[in-house]
Amino acid sequence: MTFFLIVVFLFGLCIGSFLNVLIYRLPRGLDIAHGFSMCPTCQHRLYPLDLVPLFSWLFLGGKCRYCKAKISFIYPFVELLNGLLWVGMAMRFGLTVQALAYAIVASCLIVVAFTDWQHMEIPDSMSVVIALMGLVLLAADGSLPLSARIIGALCVSVPMALLALAGAMGGGDIKLMAALGLCLGWKLTLFTTFFGAVLGTLVFFLLFKTKAKLGRMIPFGTFLAIGGVCAVFFGDAFIGWYFGLLV
């Protein structure tokens, strides 16, 4: 089992490296399938030794090999986070289709979280992949029926669409929650929304309390993405605990 988890972690690191490409290129409208990776400061082409996930950043001391400019900690953080989430999914679901599907969903949510935080934009392609994983989960996991997934796709996205008509919600959030609803079902979709709203409110309060200035609106999609990952790991346990208090 340990060897299996190590392999999953290393594979997750490699996928995390690709997520960095998506986070950088998708909001800028750049082609993700062609072109070499390059330093964002000096534009020098990066070679395989510069691109070993996590370890290249550590070996180079967090600096570009060519111009010595600092490389953002975000890059190794995304790789490490994805590796850990893939291990978490493997431990949660074992060697199953569900584990792979949820791992892919988690990777998409990482891209959503960072692109929305940095650019106030949620790539439609990530919502499409998440929705496709919902169909995979429907076929692989009979414990959550189609009706629960359809209700999940509508229970939050429809109210969000109504808010969007008033200019209070972005279209990317609506598509994201519809896609997540297909994956999670209505209970965990409501949990995701609740968790994201609470977390977003706390961040807003802390920024206000410390007089920190974000300079723009707080991106709700970032917190929904975090809520979606948390829903997979402990959403059911939280819901069971909450309703246990009401008995």
Side-chain angles (χ1 to χ4, degrees):
M1 183 64 176
T2 301
F3 176 76
F4 168 67
L5 293 179
I6 292 174
V7 172
V8 170
F9 176 70
L10 293 176
F11 189 74
L13 286 182
C14 295
I15 297 298
S17 181
F18 178 63
L19 298 186
N20 279 320
V21 174
L22 297 179
I23 292 168
Y24 182 84
R25 295 190 181 187
L26 286 178
R28 294 171 172 83
L30 301 175
D31 191 340
I32 64 170
H34 301 90
F36 298 106
S37 296
M38 57 187 181
C39 171
T41 301
C42 67
Q43 309 299 310
H44 195 287
R45 175 183 172 180
L46 301 180
Y47 294 94
L49 286 178
D50 305 312
L51 297 171
V52 179
L54 184 60
F55 297 103
S56 286
W57 188 87
L58 293 172
F59 178 76
L60 295 172
K63 296 180 180 180
C64 172
R65 181 194 301 272
Y66 309 101
C67 69
K68 306 305 179 184
K70 288 186 178 180
I71 301 173
S72 173
F73 177 71
I74 295 298
Y75 293 103
F77 177 76
V78 166
E79 294 164 353
L80 178 61
L81 176 61
N82 194 68
L84 293 175
L85 286 178
W86 277 57
V87 168
M89 295 303 177
M91 295 178 67
R92 174 83 167 79
F93 299 101
L95 185 59
T96 62
V97 173
Q98 290 97 316
L100 178 60
Y102 279 122
I104 292 173
V105 169
S107 294
C108 291
L109 291 176
I110 289 175
V111 176
V112 167
F114 281 94
T115 55
D116 199 35
W117 183 264
Q118 295 173 354
H119 302 279
M120 296 293 290
E121 178 181 337
I122 298 177
D124 288 344
S125 55
M126 296 298 101
S127 295
V128 170
V129 174
I130 292 172
L132 290 175
M133 290 304 102
L135 298 179
V136 171
L137 289 166
L138 174 64
D141 183 9
S143 63
L144 190 62
L146 176 61
S147 58
R149 296 183 187 276
I150 292 176
I151 295 172
L154 299 175
C155 66
V156 173
S157 63
V158 170
M160 279 186 168
L162 296 176
L163 290 173
L165 295 176
M169 187 64 61
D173 298 315
I174 300 169
K175 298 169 190 174
L176 174 65
M177 292 312 299
L180 276 176
L182 285 175
C183 289
L184 303 176
W186 66 272
K187 290 182 181 180
L188 292 183
T189 301
L190 292 176
F191 171 87
T192 297
T193 309
F194 171 77
F195 189 95
V198 170
L199 183 60
T201 301
L202 288 174
V203 170
F204 177 81
F205 176 78
L206 290 174
L207 290 173
F208 178 80
K209 192 76 172 176
T210 59
K211 300 185 185 325
K213 293 183 179 180
L214 191 60
R216 52 184 170 83
M217 296 177 62
I218 290 181
F220 192 31
T222 297
F223 303 106
L224 291 175
I226 296 172
V229 172
C230 292
V232 174
F233 284 111
F234 59 80
D236 286 325
F238 177 86
I239 292 171
W241 167 79
Y242 178 76
F243 281 103
L245 296 177
L246 302 180
V247 176

